mmCIF file of all heavy atoms in Angstrom:
data_model
loop_
_atom_site.group_PDB
_atom_site.id
_atom_site.type_symbol
_atom_site.label_atom_id
_atom_site.label_comp_id
_atom_site.label_asym_id
_atom_site.label_seq_id
_atom_site.Cartn_x
_atom_site.Cartn_y
_atom_site.Cartn_z
ATOM 1 N N ARG R 333 -16.194 5.471 14.476
ATOM 2 C CA ARG R 333 -16.492 5.387 15.921
ATOM 3 C C ARG R 333 -15.608 4.358 16.615
ATOM 4 O O ARG R 333 -15.977 3.776 17.623
ATOM 5 C CB ARG R 333 -17.966 5.007 16.173
ATOM 6 C CG ARG R 333 -18.984 5.893 15.462
ATOM 7 C CD ARG R 333 -19.111 7.232 16.188
ATOM 8 N NE ARG R 333 -20.287 8.009 15.852
ATOM 9 C CZ ARG R 333 -20.460 8.737 14.739
ATOM 10 N NH1 ARG R 333 -19.549 8.725 13.795
ATOM 11 N NH2 ARG R 333 -21.553 9.466 14.575
ATOM 12 N N MET R 334 -14.423 4.134 16.024
ATOM 13 C CA MET R 334 -13.507 3.178 16.620
ATOM 14 C C MET R 334 -12.744 3.846 17.758
ATOM 15 O O MET R 334 -12.325 3.217 18.708
ATOM 16 C CB MET R 334 -12.556 2.757 15.509
ATOM 17 C CG MET R 334 -11.677 1.658 15.852
ATOM 18 S SD MET R 334 -10.759 1.340 14.356
ATOM 19 C CE MET R 334 -9.504 0.356 15.078
ATOM 20 N N ILE R 335 -12.534 5.124 17.600
ATOM 21 C CA ILE R 335 -11.973 5.931 18.681
ATOM 22 C C ILE R 335 -12.940 7.098 18.875
ATOM 23 O O ILE R 335 -13.682 7.453 17.951
ATOM 24 C CB ILE R 335 -10.544 6.456 18.357
ATOM 25 C CG1 ILE R 335 -10.504 7.164 16.994
ATOM 26 C CG2 ILE R 335 -9.539 5.327 18.381
ATOM 27 C CD1 ILE R 335 -9.180 7.853 16.691
ATOM 28 N N SER R 336 -12.934 7.666 20.054
ATOM 29 C CA SER R 336 -13.917 8.725 20.282
ATOM 30 C C SER R 336 -13.309 10.110 20.121
ATOM 31 O O SER R 336 -14.016 11.105 20.042
ATOM 32 C CB SER R 336 -14.539 8.581 21.661
ATOM 33 O OG SER R 336 -13.510 8.573 22.611
ATOM 34 N N GLU R 337 -11.992 10.151 20.077
ATOM 35 C CA GLU R 337 -11.318 11.437 19.907
ATOM 36 C C GLU R 337 -10.073 11.250 19.074
ATOM 37 O O GLU R 337 -9.342 10.271 19.271
ATOM 38 C CB GLU R 337 -10.879 11.968 21.273
ATOM 39 C CG GLU R 337 -11.759 13.080 21.775
ATOM 40 C CD GLU R 337 -11.265 13.637 23.080
ATOM 41 O OE1 GLU R 337 -10.060 13.878 23.213
ATOM 42 O OE2 GLU R 337 -12.108 13.827 23.958
ATOM 43 N N ALA R 338 -9.807 12.183 18.167
ATOM 44 C CA ALA R 338 -8.572 12.116 17.401
ATOM 45 C C ALA R 338 -7.485 12.849 18.174
ATOM 46 O O ALA R 338 -7.770 13.638 19.067
ATOM 47 C CB ALA R 338 -8.770 12.748 16.034
ATOM 48 N N GLY R 339 -6.248 12.596 17.817
ATOM 49 C CA GLY R 339 -5.159 13.297 18.498
ATOM 50 C C GLY R 339 -4.077 12.366 18.983
ATOM 51 O O GLY R 339 -3.018 12.789 19.406
ATOM 52 N N ALA R 340 -4.354 11.049 18.880
ATOM 53 C CA ALA R 340 -3.337 10.098 19.334
ATOM 54 C C ALA R 340 -2.088 10.180 18.472
ATOM 55 O O ALA R 340 -0.982 10.037 18.960
ATOM 56 C CB ALA R 340 -3.903 8.690 19.293
ATOM 57 N N VAL R 341 -2.269 10.453 17.200
ATOM 58 C CA VAL R 341 -1.134 10.417 16.296
ATOM 59 C C VAL R 341 -0.164 11.553 16.555
ATOM 60 O O VAL R 341 1.031 11.369 16.646
ATOM 61 C CB VAL R 341 -1.601 10.455 14.824
ATOM 62 C CG1 VAL R 341 -0.414 10.479 13.885
ATOM 63 C CG2 VAL R 341 -2.494 9.280 14.521
ATOM 64 N N HIS R 342 -0.688 12.714 16.696
ATOM 65 C CA HIS R 342 0.216 13.851 16.807
ATOM 66 C C HIS R 342 0.162 14.603 18.120
ATOM 67 O O HIS R 342 1.080 15.343 18.441
ATOM 68 C CB HIS R 342 -0.007 14.815 15.646
ATOM 69 C CG HIS R 342 0.495 14.237 14.377
ATOM 70 N ND1 HIS R 342 1.826 14.190 14.078
ATOM 71 C CD2 HIS R 342 -0.157 13.620 13.386
ATOM 72 C CE1 HIS R 342 1.978 13.573 12.924
ATOM 73 N NE2 HIS R 342 0.789 13.221 12.479
ATOM 74 N N GLY R 343 -0.912 14.430 18.846
ATOM 75 C CA GLY R 343 -0.990 15.107 20.131
ATOM 76 C C GLY R 343 -0.890 16.610 19.993
ATOM 77 O O GLY R 343 -0.166 17.283 20.721
ATOM 78 N N LYS R 344 -1.579 17.126 19.026
ATOM 79 C CA LYS R 344 -1.615 18.582 18.827
ATOM 80 C C LYS R 344 -2.226 19.253 20.056
ATOM 81 O O LYS R 344 -2.949 18.616 20.815
ATOM 82 C CB LYS R 344 -2.513 18.893 17.624
ATOM 83 C CG LYS R 344 -1.826 18.635 16.322
ATOM 84 C CD LYS R 344 -1.340 19.925 15.720
ATOM 85 C CE LYS R 344 -0.503 19.649 14.489
ATOM 86 N NZ LYS R 344 0.463 20.648 14.207
ATOM 87 N N GLY R 345 -1.955 20.516 20.200
ATOM 88 C CA GLY R 345 -2.499 21.255 21.332
ATOM 89 C C GLY R 345 -3.995 21.007 21.473
ATOM 90 O O GLY R 345 -4.736 21.075 20.503
ATOM 91 N N GLY R 346 -4.422 20.681 22.662
ATOM 92 C CA GLY R 346 -5.847 20.459 22.873
ATOM 93 C C GLY R 346 -6.290 19.061 22.496
ATOM 94 O O GLY R 346 -7.386 18.652 22.821
ATOM 95 N N ARG R 347 -5.407 18.298 21.811
ATOM 96 C CA ARG R 347 -5.805 16.944 21.443
ATOM 97 C C ARG R 347 -5.104 15.967 22.373
ATOM 98 O O ARG R 347 -4.032 16.250 22.888
ATOM 99 C CB ARG R 347 -5.375 16.652 20.003
ATOM 100 C CG ARG R 347 -5.973 17.619 19.004
ATOM 101 C CD ARG R 347 -5.372 17.356 17.654
ATOM 102 N NE ARG R 347 -6.359 16.815 16.747
ATOM 103 C CZ ARG R 347 -6.049 16.182 15.624
ATOM 104 N NH1 ARG R 347 -4.825 15.985 15.280
ATOM 105 N NH2 ARG R 347 -7.002 15.744 14.833
ATOM 106 N N ARG R 348 -5.693 14.851 22.564
ATOM 107 C CA ARG R 348 -5.074 13.860 23.440
ATOM 108 C C ARG R 348 -3.876 13.232 22.761
ATOM 109 O O ARG R 348 -3.714 13.313 21.553
ATOM 110 C CB ARG R 348 -6.102 12.775 23.748
ATOM 111 C CG ARG R 348 -7.310 13.330 24.408
ATOM 112 C CD ARG R 348 -7.761 12.539 25.578
ATOM 113 N NE ARG R 348 -7.333 11.151 25.520
ATOM 114 C CZ ARG R 348 -8.181 10.149 25.384
ATOM 115 N NH1 ARG R 348 -9.457 10.397 25.252
ATOM 116 N NH2 ARG R 348 -7.767 8.904 25.371
ATOM 117 N N SER R 349 -3.018 12.667 23.581
ATOM 118 C CA SER R 349 -1.802 12.151 22.950
ATOM 119 C C SER R 349 -1.550 10.681 23.267
ATOM 120 O O SER R 349 -2.353 10.023 23.915
ATOM 121 C CB SER R 349 -0.614 12.980 23.393
ATOM 122 O OG SER R 349 -0.498 12.885 24.788
ATOM 123 N N THR R 350 -0.416 10.249 22.801
ATOM 124 C CA THR R 350 0.151 8.894 22.943
ATOM 125 C C THR R 350 -0.625 7.780 22.238
ATOM 126 O O THR R 350 -1.824 7.642 22.343
ATOM 127 C CB THR R 350 0.398 8.437 24.424
ATOM 128 O OG1 THR R 350 -0.804 8.002 24.983
ATOM 129 C CG2 THR R 350 1.128 9.452 25.229
ATOM 130 N N VAL R 351 0.207 7.044 21.558
ATOM 131 C CA VAL R 351 -0.336 5.962 20.742
ATOM 132 C C VAL R 351 -0.946 4.872 21.627
ATOM 133 O O VAL R 351 -1.813 4.125 21.197
ATOM 134 C CB VAL R 351 0.783 5.403 19.846
ATOM 135 C CG1 VAL R 351 0.332 4.177 19.084
ATOM 136 C CG2 VAL R 351 1.234 6.478 18.885
ATOM 137 N N SER R 352 -0.505 4.795 22.887
ATOM 138 C CA SER R 352 -1.011 3.704 23.727
ATOM 139 C C SER R 352 -2.516 3.826 23.948
ATOM 140 O O SER R 352 -3.193 2.842 24.221
ATOM 141 C CB SER R 352 -0.287 3.655 25.064
ATOM 142 O OG SER R 352 -0.549 4.838 25.762
ATOM 143 N N ASP R 353 -3.036 5.041 23.802
ATOM 144 C CA ASP R 353 -4.493 5.204 23.870
ATOM 145 C C ASP R 353 -5.186 4.300 22.866
ATOM 146 O O ASP R 353 -6.245 3.747 23.122
ATOM 147 C CB ASP R 353 -4.887 6.651 23.537
ATOM 148 C CG ASP R 353 -4.595 7.571 24.697
ATOM 149 O OD1 ASP R 353 -4.127 7.064 25.731
ATOM 150 O OD2 ASP R 353 -4.823 8.782 24.562
ATOM 151 N N TRP R 354 -4.557 4.186 21.730
ATOM 152 C CA TRP R 354 -5.111 3.326 20.682
ATOM 153 C C TRP R 354 -5.214 1.910 21.189
ATOM 154 O O TRP R 354 -6.189 1.232 20.979
ATOM 155 C CB TRP R 354 -4.157 3.302 19.480
ATOM 156 C CG TRP R 354 -4.310 4.415 18.558
ATOM 157 C CD1 TRP R 354 -3.826 5.672 18.699
ATOM 158 C CD2 TRP R 354 -4.979 4.388 17.307
ATOM 159 N NE1 TRP R 354 -4.144 6.409 17.617
ATOM 160 C CE2 TRP R 354 -4.851 5.652 16.744
ATOM 161 C CE3 TRP R 354 -5.670 3.397 16.611
ATOM 162 C CZ2 TRP R 354 -5.397 5.975 15.518
ATOM 163 C CZ3 TRP R 354 -6.202 3.720 15.376
ATOM 164 C CH2 TRP R 354 -6.071 5.007 14.851
ATOM 165 N N MET R 355 -4.112 1.497 21.838
ATOM 166 C CA MET R 355 -4.084 0.093 22.251
ATOM 167 C C MET R 355 -5.122 -0.160 23.328
ATOM 168 O O MET R 355 -5.779 -1.179 23.323
ATOM 169 C CB MET R 355 -2.704 -0.243 22.769
ATOM 170 C CG MET R 355 -1.672 -0.108 21.690
ATOM 171 S SD MET R 355 -0.088 -0.554 22.336
ATOM 172 C CE MET R 355 0.970 0.087 21.067
ATOM 173 N N GLU R 356 -5.252 0.789 24.225
ATOM 174 C CA GLU R 356 -6.253 0.640 25.269
ATOM 175 C C GLU R 356 -7.637 0.528 24.646
ATOM 176 O O GLU R 356 -8.437 -0.319 24.991
ATOM 177 C CB GLU R 356 -6.212 1.845 26.229
ATOM 178 C CG GLU R 356 -5.005 1.835 27.154
ATOM 179 C CD GLU R 356 -4.838 0.495 27.863
ATOM 180 O OE1 GLU R 356 -5.840 0.006 28.404
ATOM 181 O OE2 GLU R 356 -3.731 -0.067 27.836
ATOM 182 N N MET R 357 -7.868 1.402 23.694
ATOM 183 C CA MET R 357 -9.179 1.393 23.041
ATOM 184 C C MET R 357 -9.392 0.100 22.271
ATOM 185 O O MET R 357 -10.476 -0.449 22.241
ATOM 186 C CB MET R 357 -9.281 2.562 22.078
ATOM 187 C CG MET R 357 -9.684 3.804 22.801
ATOM 188 S SD MET R 357 -9.701 5.185 21.707
ATOM 189 C CE MET R 357 -8.179 5.948 22.091
ATOM 190 N N GLU R 358 -8.302 -0.356 21.698
ATOM 191 C CA GLU R 358 -8.389 -1.600 20.937
ATOM 192 C C GLU R 358 -8.815 -2.736 21.854
ATOM 193 O O GLU R 358 -9.707 -3.519 21.533
ATOM 194 C CB GLU R 358 -7.030 -1.889 20.322
ATOM 195 C CG GLU R 358 -7.032 -3.165 19.527
ATOM 196 C CD GLU R 358 -5.641 -3.646 19.217
ATOM 197 O OE1 GLU R 358 -4.675 -2.961 19.579
ATOM 198 O OE2 GLU R 358 -5.533 -4.729 18.649
ATOM 199 N N LYS R 359 -8.165 -2.792 23.022
ATOM 200 C CA LYS R 359 -8.491 -3.865 23.968
ATOM 201 C C LYS R 359 -9.932 -3.735 24.435
ATOM 202 O O LYS R 359 -10.679 -4.699 24.459
ATOM 203 C CB LYS R 359 -7.562 -3.776 25.174
ATOM 204 C CG LYS R 359 -6.229 -4.420 24.909
ATOM 205 C CD LYS R 359 -5.486 -4.608 26.216
ATOM 206 C CE LYS R 359 -4.003 -4.667 25.992
ATOM 207 N NZ LYS R 359 -3.264 -3.812 26.888
ATOM 208 N N ALA R 360 -10.297 -2.510 24.773
ATOM 209 C CA ALA R 360 -11.629 -2.287 25.316
ATOM 210 C C ALA R 360 -12.714 -2.670 24.317
ATOM 211 O O ALA R 360 -13.755 -3.184 24.676
ATOM 212 C CB ALA R 360 -11.775 -0.829 25.727
ATOM 213 N N ARG R 361 -12.450 -2.405 23.067
ATOM 214 C CA ARG R 361 -13.490 -2.653 22.075
ATOM 215 C C ARG R 361 -13.308 -3.930 21.275
ATOM 216 O O ARG R 361 -14.126 -4.250 20.410
ATOM 217 C CB ARG R 361 -13.520 -1.481 21.090
ATOM 218 C CG ARG R 361 -14.103 -0.262 21.734
ATOM 219 C CD ARG R 361 -13.664 0.967 20.994
ATOM 220 N NE ARG R 361 -13.857 2.121 21.834
ATOM 221 C CZ ARG R 361 -14.671 3.107 21.547
ATOM 222 N NH1 ARG R 361 -15.339 3.095 20.438
ATOM 223 N NH2 ARG R 361 -14.792 4.129 22.344
ATOM 224 N N GLY R 362 -12.195 -4.591 21.510
ATOM 225 C CA GLY R 362 -11.959 -5.847 20.802
ATOM 226 C C GLY R 362 -11.820 -5.667 19.301
ATOM 227 O O GLY R 362 -12.239 -6.488 18.509
ATOM 228 N N ILE R 363 -11.236 -4.550 18.917
ATOM 229 C CA ILE R 363 -11.080 -4.298 17.482
ATOM 230 C C ILE R 363 -9.683 -4.769 17.089
ATOM 231 O O ILE R 363 -8.738 -4.592 17.844
ATOM 232 C CB ILE R 363 -11.179 -2.790 17.202
ATOM 233 C CG1 ILE R 363 -12.503 -2.262 17.714
ATOM 234 C CG2 ILE R 363 -11.005 -2.486 15.733
ATOM 235 C CD1 ILE R 363 -12.447 -0.810 18.038
ATOM 236 N N SER R 364 -9.608 -5.353 15.907
ATOM 237 C CA SER R 364 -8.269 -5.770 15.514
ATOM 238 C C SER R 364 -7.545 -4.649 14.795
ATOM 239 O O SER R 364 -7.905 -4.254 13.708
ATOM 240 C CB SER R 364 -8.351 -7.015 14.645
ATOM 241 O OG SER R 364 -9.299 -6.815 13.640
ATOM 242 N N VAL R 365 -6.573 -4.131 15.469
ATOM 243 C CA VAL R 365 -5.762 -3.056 14.894
ATOM 244 C C VAL R 365 -4.385 -3.655 14.667
ATOM 245 O O VAL R 365 -3.886 -4.346 15.529
ATOM 246 C CB VAL R 365 -5.609 -1.900 15.902
ATOM 247 C CG1 VAL R 365 -4.814 -0.767 15.294
ATOM 248 C CG2 VAL R 365 -6.951 -1.408 16.365
ATOM 249 N N SER R 366 -3.803 -3.406 13.561
ATOM 250 C CA SER R 366 -2.436 -3.881 13.422
ATOM 251 C C SER R 366 -1.646 -2.865 12.647
ATOM 252 O O SER R 366 -2.186 -2.008 11.982
ATOM 253 C CB SER R 366 -2.404 -5.217 12.702
ATOM 254 O OG SER R 366 -2.438 -5.018 11.321
ATOM 255 N N SER R 367 -0.333 -2.987 12.756
ATOM 256 C CA SER R 367 0.496 -2.067 12.005
ATOM 257 C C SER R 367 0.411 -2.428 10.533
ATOM 258 O O SER R 367 0.886 -1.722 9.677
ATOM 259 C CB SER R 367 1.932 -2.150 12.488
ATOM 260 O OG SER R 367 2.333 -3.488 12.454
ATOM 261 N N THR R 368 -0.182 -3.549 10.237
ATOM 262 C CA THR R 368 -0.282 -3.970 8.854
ATOM 263 C C THR R 368 -1.674 -3.745 8.305
ATOM 264 O O THR R 368 -1.845 -3.354 7.174
ATOM 265 C CB THR R 368 0.132 -5.450 8.748
ATOM 266 O OG1 THR R 368 1.501 -5.501 9.044
ATOM 267 C CG2 THR R 368 -0.106 -6.008 7.381
ATOM 268 N N ALA R 369 -2.678 -3.968 9.124
ATOM 269 C CA ALA R 369 -4.042 -3.728 8.654
ATOM 270 C C ALA R 369 -4.921 -3.281 9.802
ATOM 271 O O ALA R 369 -4.849 -3.824 10.898
ATOM 272 C CB ALA R 369 -4.607 -4.982 8.025
ATOM 273 N N LEU R 370 -5.684 -2.291 9.541
ATOM 274 C CA LEU R 370 -6.600 -1.758 10.525
ATOM 275 C C LEU R 370 -7.994 -2.126 10.025
ATOM 276 O O LEU R 370 -8.342 -1.798 8.895
ATOM 277 C CB LEU R 370 -6.420 -0.245 10.537
ATOM 278 C CG LEU R 370 -7.221 0.583 11.501
ATOM 279 C CD1 LEU R 370 -6.727 0.376 12.909
ATOM 280 C CD2 LEU R 370 -7.067 2.057 11.132
ATOM 281 N N GLN R 371 -8.753 -2.831 10.877
ATOM 282 C CA GLN R 371 -10.091 -3.205 10.422
ATOM 283 C C GLN R 371 -11.141 -2.481 11.262
ATOM 284 O O GLN R 371 -11.013 -2.432 12.474
ATOM 285 C CB GLN R 371 -10.289 -4.714 10.566
ATOM 286 C CG GLN R 371 -11.624 -5.154 10.006
ATOM 287 C CD GLN R 371 -11.831 -6.651 10.116
ATOM 288 O OE1 GLN R 371 -12.070 -7.169 11.194
ATOM 289 N NE2 GLN R 371 -11.738 -7.336 8.998
#
Side-chain angles (χ1 to χ4, degrees):
R333 307 284 196 283
M334 188 177 165
I335 52 173
S336 56
E337 256 183 45
V341 177
H342 289 284
K344 282 259 173 207
R347 301 173 112 198
R348 301 226 336 247
S349 60
T350 80
V351 174
S352 63
D353 284 358
W354 276 80
M355 297 182 194
E356 287 310 312
M357 276 176 260
E358 180 195 357
K359 278 194 205 132
R361 288 158 198 243
I363 303 155
S364 49
V365 182
S366 84
S367 53
T368 293
L370 182 71
Q371 184 179 74

